[in-house]
Amino acid sequence: MPNIIETKKLDGSDILEINFGPQHPSTHGVFRMIVQTEGEKIRGLRPIFGYLHRNHEQIAENLPYAAIMPYTDRLDYVNALANNFGYALTVEKLASLEVPERAEYLRVIMAELARIVNHITVIGFMLNDLGAFFTPLLYAFRERERILDLFEEVTGSRLMNNYFRFGGVKRDLTALHLATIHQIVAKFPAFLEEFETLLSKNEILCMRCQNVGVLSPETATNAGITGPVLRASGVNYDIRKVDGYSIYHRFDFKIPLGKKGDVYDRYYVRILEIRESLKILEQALAKIPQGEILNKKTVPFIKMPRNFKPPVGEAYGRVESPKGELGFYVVSDGTPQPWRYHVRAPSLINLTVLEEMCLGQKIADAIIILGSIDIVLGETDR
Amino acid sequence: MIFGAGVFKGMMVTLKNFLTSYYRDRDNGGIFTVQYPEEREKLAENYRNLPFLVYDGAPDQIRCVACGICERECPPKCIHIEMATDAAGKPARKPAVFDIDYSLCMNCGICEEVCPFDSIYMDHTFEITSQAGPRSLIRGKEALARSNDYFRKIRPAMAAAVDQKRKTAEDKKKAAATPPPPQEIK
Amino acid sequence: MELLQLGAKFGIYAVMAAILVFALGVVTFRNLFHCALCLAAALIGTAGIYIALQAEFLAGVQILLYVGGVITLVVFAIMLTEHLAGKTVRQNNAQSLPAIVGLAGFVTALIALILKTPWPVTEAALKAKTSAMGLGEALMGTYVFPFEVISIVLLAALIGTVVIAKKDAPEERP
Amino acid sequence: MENIGSFIDMIFVTAKAWILALLGQFLPVWIVVLASIVISGVAILCLGPVIMMYLTLLERKVIGRIQNRYGPNRVGIWGLLQPIADGIKMFTKEDIVPANADKLIHLLAPIMTVVPALMIFVVVPFGRQMTAADLNIGFLYFIAVSSITILPIFMASWSSRNKYSLLGGMRTAAQLISYEVPMTLAAVPAIMMSQSLSTNTIVLTQAGSFGLNWFIFTPWGIVGFIVFFLCATAECNRPPFDLPEAESELVAGFHTEYSGMKFALFYMAEYMNAFTLCGIAATLFLGGWQGPFLPSWVWFFGKTLALICIMIWFRGTFPRFRVDHLMAFAWKFLLPLTLVNILLTALWQFTSASAAWLFSIMILAAMLYMLVKLNRVFVPEKRNYVLAD
């Protein structure tokens, strides 16, 4: 019988190499980790990705600007609207387009709803990785469903929204839709309350999550980590505040910061961010004006996308996607297609510190640390 | 804080959900799932899935004039159009072939947006699976054609707007074609 | 009823034969894991003999301690040293001759001891000595001193294990 | 009324006696003795799989309800035929054996898992005079047999030649050995009070008026029961102690490489173990089949099912422990608690009830306080979050 289970010697102890993925219940897609363990303790970890590479950037460089929008949906398929937002923002910068007032509000409302969807999904999946048998995940999905139903009514699709247009949005929200959002926002705190009673104070969860996978603020900033993972480490950096893009500067909201940068902080910062998003939604719903939803200049390009030729130049637009800084870099050579198109995917860059966080932890911790980073392989591999 | 209180409270939450699943309705903590083939959720009007071609009157009178804009703008290139020719060999402003590969289509709705002749729209049907292999998902123009009544049924508001637009266009055309009444000339 | 007794007798012989076969397996199999499993089977068989001799308590303890405890530890040790798990080892070595001599001496001593011991053979005496109550009384009465001494020895062993295991372990985060 | 009650109570016992009497009329005695064993054996052999099948259904239903969904409801009314459909599926699935597996041991492991699970049924008192074999070492037998369950898991994990299986097997070994200790010690008070290892005698001791003199109505009984039940949950690898088969980490742990009926056998063993452990817990602390008004076996199955529902409830609520926490919980928390509990039981036998209650609660509270203080890792940190601008 050949010896399959080989061990290596490292520092005088037996090292067992385990392959997590590409097919594994909790790698969130086709992601692979080669984990070197000593007993249950992790001594080395190598993330391997690229299994879901779809040539996103190359495809985009051969398409007219408007036709790239549905492809951005497929980057981070949990919250397509944030991707739409980032791309639209970039192209607007490139072509110096103004966005009507009402459209800005619609954008913020939809993007914040998408942030809520993303955060509850992530928390649900993370708790699933912790071994809570689908209960928190399904409670989260129950609430997510209400928002997705709204997305379906407004944008036409639940996940692949394709909602943003250069200089505005595709479809207006009716008074009925606004009332539905109002209802969702009003009901959400009660759900969060229930969700937190279910597990936030649970001793087992705290044991598992607290002081596990600690990421120091220095490492986080040096590695270019963004989003809730960075904020959980206590660094106050949120592009909504830093850039104040769109109309975020008009809203009153806070940035929740973590203390230790462990898994629990990342979990809890997300819950607090949902609460802040609800605040933004309330304000936006109260202040939303009437008016145009699309810039007059871009209306003809809806029918003829190939006539849309931004002037020669380059632009980098970024938004605070729920996962971190989502940036699009587009270079135009004056043709209908971008000359260069690049995505700064937060999932990919946040993944770089995985080994750092996992060393010295147990195998079970690697799974939840991966879960707490919140990666979507569609975005990581592109 | 008593040790174990968190565990206990969590158990109470699941117990509450267990009990309410028996008597509450779905929006208030009752059972949330839909028993799919028997029960169906009402699809939103704007829901878009796969494209179809609209015809007025008889099924072979599709509005499409084979201009090929949707074919060119379709991001995944899932549309294939060949223009028909009449007896004289001239283009007939009608498609001879109009194929959509449903297995490639990504439901983005760009064809619907760019079409200048109001002839292609996104359908509500999503049950298109078959065991006949991927080639069966390439639908020809006969399979794609749906009546305007069907369009009115699935997307009433949009169909009404389109009908209105076409009617005014038609009226304008008529007004242009028929000579204007003499008394208006001054 | 006679048939039943015959069957029971036959059963005991079958168990004994099985024990011998498995015991042979322990010393002949080249795969360590297989040896451990054979040992477990042999020990379970021994418990079967105890049951046949109406010493249920002993049988229970036999399985609990030897199969549930000792064998588990043995298997655990085999699995922990993973490079042993797949390998086969030679079961005999250069010192087989002294081993045979030693074993012969041990077996002789054992047989002599068995022959010399006055075994209680009547039903009532058996019940009194082997029931849980009887054993308890013996342990807490007649043999209380050795019992306590053994417990102290075990405690010392336990503490020793902890000390040895703890020595090199680096400080860990909770 | 009284007669009907006792008739229903003894219905299974009477039925067996009637069959044996019938056989005795024209068959030699030894066949009747053999038949007696066979009847009990067949009853248990049928009961085990049926219990397993319907426990899976119950579990899926209850968890479904907890998660606001229906659970299986397509096959038969309320999904009652679902287990049979599952069984057919399991039987018809391809049996895959890894190329490098140790074929014989790979085959033996699932079979060996079921055997001890079935053997424990022998000492479970299902009702008045309804213990298949009322051994005078009943509880010891239970502990001994359940300690064997480690071996087949080892066999499965080792013979699969898979790293996940191996890790799962090692976790299992550590977990089962650790939790066996507090489980046994938690049961000691019940044995001390009934002065017998026989499960039937333990139940009879808890008779009292209305059959309600259960051990759980004493302070040491509550502690013993909770510890025993937690350990039982760990012993049959159920959440939150399901590390050996932790889905999100080790795919399926020791049975990763099993498919078809072999896989089903592991599940069968797990559910039968869950049933017997709950049954033993009910026997030791909840008065077994004792209880007023209803037939004894109804009481037994009712109590056991209630305990199983609590296990399912655990599964629907909790995240999983981590290996080191699991060990710490057994050795640093449960074990000292059970030792104090044994001491308390000894004291209980010498003092009057009301005073005993007082000092028991005081001792237990002090012990709990001390244990929580000593095990800082179990106590959640309080955290305040900054809301920055």
Side-chain angles (χ1 to χ4, degrees):
Chain A
M1 187 160 56
N3 191 7
I4 304 292
I5 297 161
E6 281 174 8
T7 55
K8 291 182 195 161
K9 288 276 179 193
L10 194 91
D11 308 337
S13 52
D14 279 340
I15 297 290
L16 179 68
E17 227 175 46
I18 306 175
N19 218 340
F20 277 93
Q23 274 93 35
H24 188 274
S26 49
T27 47
H28 300 253
V30 277
F31 175 65
R32 182 174 167 206
M33 293 189 281
I34 295 178
V35 185
Q36 295 177 327
T37 59
E38 179 193 347
E40 288 260 350
K41 202 179 280 174
I42 295 173
R43 283 273 173 258
L45 184 143
R46 200 146 55 87
I48 296 171
F49 35 78
Y51 291 92
L52 203 66
H53 182 58
R54 291 148 308 162
N55 235 339
H56 175 78
E57 291 171 8
Q58 189 65 48
I59 288 175
E61 282 162 19
N62 290 305
L63 284 174
Y65 285 89
I68 299 171
M69 193 64 86
Y71 279 99
T72 61
D73 290 339
R74 280 137 180 100
L75 277 176
D76 173 3
Y77 40 78
V78 181
N79 55 329
L81 285 158
N83 309 342
N84 281 188
F85 204 164
Y87 178 60
L89 215 63
T90 314
V91 176
E92 279 152 16
K93 220 177 193 177
L94 193 63
S96 344
L97 286 170
E98 292 287 309
V99 183
E101 187 80 357
R102 185 172 173 86
E104 292 278 28
Y105 273 91
L106 295 182
R107 283 178 169 196
V108 167
I109 288 172
M110 294 306 257
E112 289 308 311
L113 283 174
R115 187 184 310 278
I116 294 173
V117 167
N118 180 78
H119 280 352
I120 53 177
T121 315
V122 169
I123 292 169
F125 273 113
M126 200 190 103
L127 293 173
N128 220 29
D129 291 345
L130 272 167
F133 186 77
F134 286 99
T135 307
L137 178 68
L138 282 168
Y139 289 174
F141 268 31
R142 189 182 67 198
E143 300 309 310
R144 173 180 179 255
E145 203 65 14
R146 300 185 214 278
I147 300 177
L148 289 192
D149 280 348
L150 180 96
F151 282 177
E152 188 177 337
E153 266 177 50
V154 178
T155 69
S157 187
R158 293 155 58 80
L159 295 175
M160 304 294 130
N161 305 105
N162 187 16
Y163 179 63
F164 285 47
R165 294 289 175 267
F166 309 131
V169 292
K170 183 180 172 186
R171 201 175 270 126
D172 201 358
L173 286 172
T174 62
L176 199 65
H177 292 145
L178 290 174
T180 318
I181 298 173
H182 233 304
Q183 219 182 344
I184 292 170
V185 171
K187 269 192 176 177
F188 218 86
F191 160 70
L192 278 181
E193 210 58 46
E194 183 190 33
F195 197 85
E196 281 205 53
T197 349
L198 176 64
L199 283 174
S200 282
K201 292 272 173 346
N202 186 303
E203 277 81 359
I204 305 176
L205 181 109
C206 293
M207 266 196 265
R208 286 291 306 273
C209 292
Q210 289 182 342
N211 301 314
V212 165
V214 177
L215 181 67
S216 68
E218 294 77 33
T219 321
T221 33
N222 288 347
I225 308 300
T226 44
V229 182
L230 176 70
R231 290 194 287 274
S233 294
V235 181
N236 185 359
Y237 182 74
D238 187 318
I239 296 167
R240 287 176 295 176
K241 289 274 184 196
V242 174
D243 275 12
Y245 64 91
S246 190
I247 47 165
Y248 273 112
H249 54 89
R250 292 190 206 167
F251 300 114
D252 170 35
F253 66 100
K254 305 266 187 231
I255 307 299
L257 297 179
K259 279 267 152 64
K260 289 207 168 147
D262 56 7
V263 174
Y264 190 83
D265 277 352
R266 270 167 262 175
Y267 159 80
Y268 210 77
V269 159
R270 289 200 171 96
I271 287 190
L272 291 172
E273 272 188 28
I274 294 178
R275 293 188 192 279
E276 295 304 318
S277 286
L278 291 174
K279 264 197 231 164
I280 296 177
L281 278 172
E282 267 170 21
Q283 294 168 39
L285 286 172
K287 283 196 276 190
I288 184 165
Q290 291 298 327
E292 288 293 315
I293 58 158
L294 199 56
N295 190 328
K296 282 273 187 312
K297 273 196 272 177
T298 55
V299 173
F301 299 127
I302 297 289
K303 282 284 177 198
M304 279 165 276
R306 263 169 219 270
N307 290 358
F308 182 72
K309 293 171 193 161
V312 179
E314 56 175 15
Y316 177 73
R318 54 180 189 173
V319 289
E320 180 68 28
S321 121
K323 295 183 168 56
E325 175 182 335
L326 175 68
F328 287 88
Y329 175 63
V330 180
V331 182
S332 166
D333 56 355
T335 58
Q337 290 141 1
W339 183 79
R340 177 78 178 102
Y341 166 91
H342 175 75
V343 183
R344 186 225 187 259
S347 290
L348 173 68
I349 290 164
N350 290 358
L351 202 52
T352 50
V353 284
L354 182 63
E355 179 171 15
E356 195 104 358
M357 289 195 265
C358 286
L359 286 184
Q361 309 281 348
K362 304 276 186 292
I363 293 173
D365 295 334
I367 303 290
I368 57 166
I369 290 169
L370 179 68
S372 74
I373 296 176
D374 178 14
I375 57 163
V376 164
L377 268 299
E379 192 179 63
T380 309
D381 295 345
R382 278 166 285 152
Chain B
M1 258 297 280
I2 308 164
F3 177 66
V7 167
F8 183 74
K9 275 187 199 155
M11 286 181 77
M12 285 303 122
V13 170
T14 40
L15 179 68
K16 196 195 94 200
N17 272 284
F18 175 75
L19 295 177
T20 51
S21 76
Y22 280 98
Y23 64 90
R24 291 267 183 84
D25 61 339
R26 64 178 298 216
D27 286 334
N28 294 312
I31 283 181
F32 203 78
T33 47
V34 174
Q35 297 287 294
Y36 162 61
E38 297 94 38
E39 266 178 64
R40 278 151 192 273
E41 281 203 316
K42 204 179 162 296
L43 287 170
E45 185 187 336
N46 290 328
Y47 171 67
R48 57 181 148 84
N49 201 30
L50 295 157
F52 68 97
L53 298 173
V54 189
Y55 63 78
D56 301 299
D60 58 339
Q61 294 172 308
I62 50 175
R63 289 176 186 169
C64 176
V65 296
C67 66
I69 290 180
C70 55
E71 183 186 22
R72 202 180 50 186
E73 298 301 339
C74 175
K77 304 277 179 259
C78 70
I79 304 177
H80 174 70
I81 306 176
E82 278 170 30
M83 193 178 275
T85 47
D86 57 10
K90 280 183 180 169
R93 289 177 62 78
K94 243 172 96 175
V97 180
F98 195 111
D99 287 344
I100 295 182
D101 189 346
Y102 273 6
S103 63
L104 273 184
C105 176
M106 64 178 194
N107 321 336
C108 61
I110 283 184
C111 48
E112 174 187 88
E113 273 175 44
V114 297
C115 181
F117 298 97
D118 311 313
S119 65
I120 189 164
Y121 285 103
M122 307 305 275
D123 204 347
H124 277 190
T125 326
F126 50 87
E127 290 146 320
I128 58 159
T129 47
S130 78
Q131 296 184 330
R135 294 210 53 91
S136 73
L137 289 170
I138 300 175
R139 301 286 161 92
K141 63 176 176 176
E142 291 79 22
L144 288 168
R146 300 270 188 288
S147 70
N148 198 20
D149 290 335
Y150 174 79
F151 182 39
R152 283 195 200 108
K153 201 183 89 197
I154 61 167
R155 300 171 82 162
M158 189 176 197
V162 169
D163 283 350
Q164 186 63 40
K165 194 182 114 199
R166 284 175 71 83
K167 201 160 164 285
T168 41
E170 198 108 318
D171 289 348
K172 232 186 232 168
K173 220 170 162 187
K174 254 183 214 159
T178 51
Q183 64 264 33
E184 278 192 20
I185 302 166
K186 288 195 176 149
Chain C
M1 227 44 204
E2 270 168 19
L3 264 172
L4 213 59
Q5 273 169 354
L6 196 71
K9 208 168 229 174
F10 183 76
I12 292 171
Y13 285 125
V15 168
M16 285 173 170
I19 293 173
L20 281 179
V21 169
F22 282 123
L24 267 178
V26 176
V27 291
T28 50
F29 271 125
R30 307 191 109 204
N31 188 318
L32 272 182
F33 194 80
H34 291 172
C35 297
L37 288 182
C38 281
L39 186 59
L43 291 172
I44 292 173
T46 319
I49 289 182
Y50 289 150
I51 288 175
L53 294 173
Q54 299 187 354
E56 290 100 346
F57 187 84
L58 204 57
V61 171
Q62 162 91 5
I63 289 181
L64 180 60
L65 289 188
Y66 283 94
V67 183
V70 174
I71 293 293
T72 311
L73 284 180
V74 168
V75 174
F76 201 50
I78 294 174
M79 296 223 318
L80 268 179
T81 48
E82 290 96 354
H83 48 274
L84 273 181
K87 272 199 196 132
T88 54
V89 286
R90 287 183 53 189
Q91 280 276 25
N92 52 346
N93 55 22
Q95 281 145 4
S96 43
L97 202 70
I100 288 171
V101 173
L103 191 70
F106 178 70
V107 169
T108 324
L110 210 64
I111 290 173
L113 215 70
I114 289 170
L115 290 176
K116 272 179 86 177
T117 314
W119 299 101
V121 277
T122 57
E123 192 90 344
L126 263 177
K127 268 274 164 290
K129 290 251 173 173
T130 58
S131 74
M133 193 76 88
L135 277 172
E137 270 164 9
L139 280 180
M140 282 293 151
T142 328
Y143 302 109
V144 69
F145 185 68
F147 181 73
E148 292 300 326
V149 167
I150 286 172
S151 65
I152 289 170
V153 169
L154 284 178
L155 185 68
L158 216 63
I159 293 168
T161 322
V162 171
V163 169
I164 291 170
K166 196 86 189 161
K167 203 161 58 186
D168 290 337
E171 199 59 31
E172 261 185 73
R173 270 185 292 190
Chain D
M1 197 60 212
E2 193 74 356
N3 280 334
I4 296 170
S6 64
F7 174 71
I8 296 173
D9 193 4
M10 305 294 281
I11 186 161
F12 298 111
V13 181
T14 323
K16 186 184 165 189
W18 184 78
I19 294 170
L20 290 180
L22 200 70
L23 289 173
Q25 282 179 353
F26 47 87
L27 285 174
V29 184
W30 64 273
I31 290 189
V32 178
V33 175
L34 215 62
S36 164
I37 298 168
V38 168
I39 289 172
S40 301
V42 167
I44 285 170
L45 282 180
C46 296
L47 194 66
V50 169
I51 282 173
M52 173 261 180
M53 286 161 78
Y54 281 92
L55 281 189
T56 54
L57 183 67
L58 178 78
E59 168 152 42
R60 289 168 69 182
K61 279 274 183 191
V62 171
I63 288 197
R65 286 284 171 177
I66 282 177
Q67 296 168 353
N68 291 333
R69 41 187 192 88
Y70 287 99
N73 63 352
R74 290 294 162 136
V75 196
I77 328 166
W78 305 324
L80 279 179
L81 298 178
Q82 181 72 38
I84 293 162
D86 287 346
I88 292 169
K89 183 192 124 191
M90 285 297 186
F91 267 116
T92 50
K93 270 195 137 178
E94 187 191 355
D95 176 41
I96 299 163
V97 182
N100 289 315
D102 192 326
K103 306 254 172 355
L104 180 70
I105 295 181
H106 192 263
L107 171 73
L108 276 177
I111 301 167
M112 289 270 293
T113 332
V114 178
V115 173
L118 276 170
M119 276 169 77
I120 298 176
F121 273 90
V122 169
V123 291
V124 177
F126 291 99
R128 188 169 281 134
Q129 296 176 29
M130 274 167 68
T131 317
D134 185 14
L135 304 177
N136 64 355
I137 54 149
F139 184 74
L140 185 69
Y141 171 88
F142 156 74
I143 292 285
V145 172
S146 64
S147 73
I148 303 181
T149 45
I150 302 174
L151 268 186
I153 288 174
F154 264 138
M155 288 161 70
S157 67
W158 181 82
S159 67
S160 299
R161 312 294 295 153
N162 175 314
K163 289 171 186 174
Y164 292 129
S165 300
L166 191 81
L167 275 174
M170 298 217 272
R171 282 182 176 190
T172 316
Q175 178 178 334
L176 293 195
I177 293 175
S178 307
Y179 276 83
E180 208 144 83
V181 177
M183 183 168 88
T184 315
L185 289 176
V188 166
I191 294 163
M192 281 164 78
M193 291 307 275
S194 52
Q195 302 193 342
S196 169
L197 281 170
S198 154
T199 44
N200 212 27
T201 319
I202 293 171
V203 175
L204 286 171
T205 327
Q206 301 177 54
S209 54
F210 288 106
L212 276 175
N213 188 20
W214 304 351
F215 287 152
I216 197 174
F217 299 136
T218 54
W220 51 269
I222 296 170
V223 174
F225 171 72
I226 291 172
V227 173
F228 187 89
F229 185 66
L230 287 177
C231 295
T233 317
E235 280 285 295
C236 48
N237 300 338
R238 298 208 30 109
F241 308 98
D242 59 338
L243 285 105
E245 48 204 74
E247 188 216 347
S248 57
E249 296 146 30
L250 300 181
V251 188
F254 60 87
H255 52 62
T256 308
E257 296 288 359
Y258 281 89
S259 66
M261 207 51 211
K262 289 186 193 165
F263 175 76
L265 283 178
F266 278 113
Y267 259 74
M268 186 186 280
E270 185 185 321
Y271 280 93
M272 288 195 303
N273 268 334
F275 183 85
T276 42
L277 281 162
C278 285
I280 295 281
T283 303
L284 288 174
F285 296 101
L286 301 183
W289 43 260
Q290 299 279 4
F293 312 123
L294 293 169
S296 57
W297 44 275
V298 173
W299 271 109
F300 175 79
F301 280 100
K303 287 169 188 173
T304 310
L305 276 182
L307 290 184
I308 287 172
C309 283
I310 294 178
M311 275 192 182
I312 296 172
W313 188 8
F314 280 174
R315 185 168 186 212
T317 311
F318 294 138
R320 189 178 297 124
F321 272 96
R322 203 174 70 191
V323 182
D324 50 338
H325 296 149
L326 188 86
M327 294 296 146
F329 189 61
W331 291 106
K332 295 184 187 166
F333 194 86
L334 294 181
L335 189 65
L337 199 61
T338 47
L339 289 174
V340 168
N341 202 34
I342 291 173
L343 191 77
L344 209 67
T345 321
L347 288 174
W348 183 269
Q349 284 177 315
F350 298 116
T351 35
S352 68
S354 54
W357 266 100
L358 199 70
F359 77 70
S360 310
I361 289 170
M362 273 165 57
I363 292 176
L364 283 176
M367 189 64 195
L368 271 174
Y369 181 78
M370 216 168 79
L371 285 177
V372 172
K373 281 279 163 240
L374 283 175
N375 292 295
R376 294 298 331 169
V377 67
F378 297 149
V379 185
E381 269 175 39
K382 277 210 184 75
R383 292 193 181 178
N384 295 314
Y385 288 86
V386 184
L387 290 176
D389 276 317

